[in-house]
Amino acid sequence: MSTALRNYDLIPKTSPYPEDRRTVDAVPAAVTDWLLLQLRSSATGAVVASRSVLLRKDGRVVNDDAITEEVIIPSLEGEKDYYVVARHRNHVGVMSAAVQALNSTTATDHDFTTGLDKYYGGDGKQLEVGCCGLYCGDANGNSWVNATDYSFVFGYIGFNGYSGSDINLNGWVNATDYNYIYGNIGVNSNIPK
């Protein structure tokens, strides 16, 4: 994963997710971007908790220090089984295929990268053998990669900075970003509304 946004000091110190605005003093060197984690008590239920986290170059979700991999997400008291949702500003969001047993005393690790069977509805994309991730290209954040996303990129061509239209996360919005949309056109999130 590219750290170009970090190398150019373009990742904001405050997360872009209004569900959990978090601010760091400085964005650590190994970080590629912000990510939003959410919990649902059922696949079709409402979000019960949200947490902005940092995404490290190795694909791990980490706390504000970019080192601690144990992320604490405040949840409703008494509930222990949750679906885990991961959202990125220009990628199609995903949800765990099964509930995860979460509580205040035991850490649970859900690794989306190990197989498509980890994704609700098979929403993951096989990036290479044995490694899966999120589909990119959702420039407008509507959970679909479609022709509308081309328009969002077109409107920002030449922009240098932090933008949802920068699909390849290199800090520039240009024609290269269209290629990522084209490769994923028609993909949508199976996360129930």
Side-chain angles (χ1 to χ4, degrees):
M1 292 174 45
S2 172
T3 56
L5 291 176
R6 171 63 185 98
N7 295 343
Y8 297 120
D9 199 27
L10 297 175
I11 300 172
K13 292 178 184 170
T14 300
S15 111
Y17 304 106
E19 297 88 345
D20 182 45
R21 294 265 190 223
R22 299 182 71 73
T23 301
V24 294
D25 292 332
V27 177
V31 167
T32 63
D33 207 349
W34 287 95
L35 191 79
L36 182 68
L37 293 180
Q38 296 179 311
L39 301 179
R40 288 179 168 204
S41 56
S42 71
T44 58
V47 171
V48 297
S50 297
R51 172 77 192 269
S52 289
V53 294
L54 296 171
L55 181 62
R56 209 167 50 194
K57 183 178 180 176
D58 63 4
R60 303 294 288 182
V61 171
V62 292
N63 276 311
D64 302 348
D65 62 5
I67 297 169
T68 309
E69 294 177 3
E70 186 174 299
V71 176
I72 297 172
I73 304 173
S75 62
L76 297 178
E77 218 167 297
E79 294 188 55
K80 295 184 179 176
D81 291 340
Y82 298 98
Y83 284 89
V84 177
V85 175
R87 298 185 187 278
H88 183 265
R89 62 192 172 86
N90 63 11
H91 287 61
V92 175
V94 297
M95 185 167 67
S96 59
V99 293
Q100 306 298 303
L102 304 176
N103 62 58
S104 61
T105 59
T106 307
T108 300
D109 185 26
H110 183 77
D111 191 347
F112 282 108
T113 67
T114 60
L116 295 177
D117 62 330
K118 303 295 184 186
Y119 297 84
Y120 183 88
D123 277 347
K125 178 176 184 171
Q126 185 161 345
L127 304 172
E128 59 186 52
V129 175
C131 184
C132 298
L134 282 63
Y135 281 96
C136 66
D138 185 16
N140 64 357
N142 70 350
S143 299
W144 282 89
V145 179
N146 57 30
T148 307
D149 296 302
Y150 284 116
S151 298
F152 274 78
V153 170
F154 182 77
Y156 281 89
I157 288 289
F159 178 81
N160 172 239
Y162 190 77
S163 168
S165 294
D166 175 22
I167 305 301
N168 64 357
L169 305 178
N170 70 353
W172 290 94
V173 180
N174 56 34
T176 306
D177 295 301
Y178 287 122
N179 296 334
Y180 290 90
I181 295 170
Y182 179 77
N184 295 327
I185 204 84
V187 171
N188 69 299
S189 176
N190 286 312
I191 300 173
K193 300 281 185 223

